[in-house]
Amino acid sequence: MPFGQLLIEGLAMGACYGLFGLAVVIIYRTSEVINFAAGTMAVFSTYIAFHMITFYGHPFWLAFFFALVFAALLGMFVEFFFLRPAKNPTLLGLIVITIGVQLLFGGLVCWKWTADQQAFTIPFSYQVIYEPLPGVFISQWAVAVFVIAAVIVTLLFFFFKYTKLGTAMRATQQNKHAAKIVGIKTDRIFAFSWAFSSVIGVTAAMLISSRTILDPEFMMEPFLRAFAAAVLGGLMSVPGVLLGGGIMGLIENFFGYAMPAWKPITAFVVIVLVLCVRPSGLFAKHYVKKV
Amino acid sequence: MLKVNNIETWYDLIRALHGISFTITQGDVVALLGSNGAGKTTTLKTIMRLFYDLKEEQPEKGTIEFLGERIDRKDTDEIVKMGIGYVPEGREVFPELTVLENITIGAYTRRDKAGVKSDLENVFYHFPILKSRKNQQAGLMSGGEQQMLAIGRALMSRPKLLMLDEPSLGLSPILTQEIFTIVKNINEKDGVTILLVEQNVNMALKYSHFAYLLENGKIVRADKPEVLREDEDIKEFYLGIATEQSVKGYKRYRRKVRFR
């Protein structure tokens, strides 16, 4: 039985979930809003890259970077035109707005590119397979996923830890009121975090779609998995969501091999069990505000 | 330096400030006194424009001038940049950031790196304990240390006017004394003008050069602390020195106070 291959493929898929979970976590960290539109926003940006490659014949990398820029603008657009105008919003109200955004963009994508399934290819194919150790197979796609995930996570870590903007983002998340007092423009911080999340989301979406298919709904299931991974990690910590993603990917892959019929639900069952034991996730560390 | 002219602030249909006017002279320690619900914190928040989220038109009436410029329609970050530092009630530090990060984020609006560095040294000079704790998470510190941290954070924006909202809240008398001594030092050595909001009237009168007394959103007394100390009402209701007893021997709860 190809244990090594299952492991690596599972980890690679898990890294994709983890990355996409990061997109959810970044917005949650700054504003405590869960962005249900994350999947569809990423689909929209992926289609932009797809459109550039298929219809205009641009090279992949140009389309890739254009999609990243588009995703950043899209994130800021959503924050600015949908969330900010909300008057005296409650958290739940904002979350419902993101669901509305999801429906809106879902419809837009269906209208522009139809609901047909397409093939989205990136230069890293999952059919090209290396054998670094005898018996261990790793596809080019998996290598690309690991490298990209590692780069993004390292950059994020340094960004949040050492840059002024990153510190300001953490500060805003912890105490919006105090952040205003020290002169942070909190509105701008929210717009930034939306842009950030959207960029990471589209990166993950492109990796996922190149492994599966491209249609307007293809991020629905990965979004749920990524969200579950984020919940498992505690919705707050970056290492937590990656670990959560890894666990999701592994469980899914091993069960998918052993009992294919149970593949879609096993991971969720595990999460329910974990949350029964640790209700706030594996890595949660929430300070209870002292009065 | 700061000139507050007849401001009114409303919380929906409730008027919290009924037209407050006061001025602060450069270099002074000015105390804003009053009991719960008198409108002290609301005054400070109005000056910082922290009600902007609720309403754009806040304060509803009146003007606020700082260094000759009107700030009553400016954004909070611009007001911070102009040189008003605010230490909020209940400290409000960032609990998961380290002490050092908490302090340096106070300089968020500044661009001069050398100045920030020397100000950091200055904060550590005033609060040596923060230096020894600088890599600790702020949420794990004691109340007094968090208060020091909040003051240090506000100092990092190099304010010309520092507004302190109840620095003694929840602190022991010894710590309160210590904080007030440091505040006095900041005023004298760094030349920072200070607006002090306090419920601890005795302490505030000891350290201030001028004091305003707020009651129900109005200023009812404005004088030098020496004069206020001798005021019969203040003695009885704020300093707890009862002088007069009613016929039945009860302490009188409140006397109608008018000003001007």
Side-chain angles (χ1 to χ4, degrees):
Chain A
M1 122 158 205
F3 178 80
Q5 202 176 347
L6 278 179
L7 184 76
I8 286 169
E9 279 289 302
L11 278 179
M13 210 58 208
C16 290
Y17 294 151
L19 267 190
F20 201 72
L22 267 183
V24 177
V25 164
I26 284 174
I27 288 179
Y28 184 80
R29 273 171 72 116
T30 44
S31 55
E32 305 223 328
V33 170
I34 292 160
N35 179 17
F36 280 101
T40 317
M41 281 165 68
V43 169
F44 194 4
S45 307
T46 311
Y47 262 104
I48 295 288
F50 169 77
H51 195 84
M52 283 184 73
I53 296 169
T54 321
F55 294 100
Y56 300 142
H58 288 299
F60 169 77
W61 288 108
L62 183 68
F64 176 74
F65 283 113
F66 189 82
L68 292 193
V69 173
F70 178 83
L73 293 177
L74 185 70
M76 288 197 224
F77 174 85
V78 170
E79 200 279 335
F80 194 84
F81 285 100
F82 293 99
L83 292 163
R84 202 176 290 186
K87 210 139 178 76
N88 293 335
T90 58
L91 215 49
L92 190 62
L94 291 176
I95 292 172
V96 172
I97 290 178
T98 67
I99 296 177
V101 172
Q102 191 247 329
L103 292 173
L104 177 69
F105 285 143
L108 214 60
V109 169
C110 277
W111 167 72
K112 177 77 182 87
W113 288 283
T114 73
D116 295 343
Q117 295 193 343
Q118 319 269 5
F120 183 77
T121 45
I122 61 172
F124 313 105
S125 164
Y126 60 91
Q127 280 153 341
V128 180
I129 294 189
Y130 304 114
E131 191 179 354
L133 292 170
V136 177
F137 300 95
I138 181 164
S139 68
Q140 207 178 26
W141 176 80
V143 174
V145 168
F146 289 136
V147 171
I148 289 174
V151 167
I152 287 181
V153 170
T154 324
L155 283 181
L156 270 188
F157 175 78
F158 282 104
F159 172 78
F160 276 121
K161 187 82 192 156
Y162 295 110
T163 66
K164 206 172 169 180
L165 183 62
T167 316
M169 280 171 88
R170 282 191 293 151
T172 308
Q173 170 246 319
Q174 287 165 30
N175 195 336
K176 190 184 167 191
H177 182 69
K180 270 196 176 155
I181 287 167
V182 297
I184 295 171
K185 287 188 203 298
T186 46
D187 283 348
R188 209 172 279 181
I189 296 286
F190 291 142
F192 265 125
S193 65
W194 273 81
F196 249 34
S197 147
S198 183
V199 166
I200 294 174
V202 71
T203 315
M206 281 192 219
L207 290 172
I208 293 171
S209 82
S210 68
R211 182 78 176 79
T212 55
I213 41 148
L214 178 68
D215 72 18
E217 292 292 316
F218 85 92
M219 279 310 284
M220 207 56 217
E221 207 173 305
F223 168 71
L224 282 179
R225 299 249 151 98
F227 180 57
V231 171
L232 195 62
L235 269 176
M236 271 289 173
S237 81
V238 173
V241 65
L242 290 175
L243 189 83
I247 294 174
M248 291 294 290
L250 283 181
I251 296 173
E252 189 184 285
N253 230 28
F254 278 106
F255 266 89
Y257 180 76
M259 289 175 264
W262 291 86
K263 181 178 170 179
I265 66 155
T266 36
F268 293 109
V269 171
V270 169
I271 281 171
V272 169
L273 292 179
V274 169
L275 291 184
C276 284
V277 183
R278 289 197 57 130
S280 46
L282 291 173
F283 279 76
K285 44 164 193 180
H286 242 321
Y287 273 87
V288 180
K289 207 175 163 190
K290 264 199 240 171
V291 182
Chain B
M1 177 177 220
L2 183 79
K3 206 167 157 191
V4 174
N5 195 8
N6 204 23
I7 52 167
E8 279 186 16
T9 298
W10 294 68
Y11 291 110
D12 290 329
L13 293 175
I14 298 156
R15 187 161 61 171
L17 301 182
H18 300 241
I20 283 187
S21 308
F22 61 91
T23 48
I24 295 174
T25 329
Q26 179 122 27
D28 271 2
V29 177
V30 176
L32 206 57
L33 310 170
S35 55
N36 283 350
K40 300 165 300 203
T41 303
T42 307
T43 310
L44 294 197
K45 283 188 175 169
T46 307
I47 294 172
M48 287 306 279
R49 289 264 290 151
L50 287 171
F51 295 119
Y52 184 83
D53 273 1
L54 300 177
K55 258 181 234 164
E56 273 183 46
E57 301 279 310
Q58 196 104 33
E60 273 84 351
K61 274 186 190 160
T63 58
I64 304 169
E65 272 177 43
F66 181 64
L67 299 171
E69 213 175 313
R70 276 186 65 169
I71 58 169
D72 50 304
R73 286 294 176 268
K74 279 194 184 340
D75 284 347
T76 306
D77 59 290
E78 279 177 68
I79 294 172
V80 173
K81 247 186 237 172
M82 283 181 70
I84 301 187
Y86 175 44
V87 181
E89 187 177 11
R91 315 188 246 281
E92 307 254 354
V93 296
F94 302 111
E96 286 170 43
L97 262 51
T98 65
V99 170
L100 189 64
E101 284 170 335
N102 260 285
I103 298 174
T104 42
I105 207 160
Y108 185 76
T109 51
R110 291 174 61 179
R111 294 280 171 270
D112 54 322
K113 277 199 175 148
V116 170
K117 213 171 177 188
S118 72
D119 279 6
L120 185 65
E121 288 306 314
N122 187 33
V123 168
F124 284 150
Y125 161 76
H126 283 300
F127 306 102
I129 190 138
L130 295 183
K131 191 168 190 176
S132 58
R133 295 280 165 92
K134 70 180 175 189
N135 291 322
Q136 195 181 328
Q137 280 198 346
L140 301 175
M141 298 208 301
S142 75
E145 289 160 352
Q146 288 193 17
Q147 184 65 57
M148 293 179 188
L149 182 56
I151 298 176
R153 184 180 67 190
L155 280 179
M156 285 303 287
S157 64
R158 196 175 275 182
K160 299 182 182 84
L161 169 69
L162 183 64
M163 306 199 296
L164 297 161
D165 199 345
E166 294 208 25
S168 70
L169 183 80
L171 300 185
S172 72
I174 295 175
L175 262 176
T176 310
Q177 186 86 46
E178 200 183 325
I179 297 251
F180 272 90
T181 315
I182 295 168
V183 167
K184 194 178 165 208
N185 260 335
I186 291 169
N187 172 250
E188 285 169 0
K189 286 217 178 89
D190 305 351
V192 179
T193 312
I194 285 169
L195 174 59
L196 182 66
V197 160
E198 259 302 332
Q199 295 213 27
N200 189 339
V201 173
N202 190 20
M203 208 62 163
L205 286 180
K206 210 153 117 195
Y207 284 96
S208 57
H209 302 127
F210 203 85
Y212 294 92
L213 181 64
L214 275 174
E215 248 176 47
N216 295 330
K218 290 180 202 124
I219 292 188
V220 293
R221 291 275 191 286
D223 222 318
K224 292 214 156 74
E226 304 90 86
V227 184
L228 288 179
R229 262 183 195 290
E230 299 308 316
D231 190 291
E232 288 299 318
D233 286 345
I234 290 183
K235 260 191 191 169
E236 188 169 344
F237 298 125
Y238 292 95
L239 297 174
I241 312 168
T243 50
E244 185 189 344
Q245 284 188 331
S246 71
V247 198
K248 284 180 176 170
Y250 299 128
K251 245 195 261 177
R252 195 130 44 109
Y253 173 60
R254 166 152 290 166
R255 197 184 319 222
K256 182 100 178 156
V257 201
R258 285 238 178 76
F259 182 60
R260 281 174 197 156

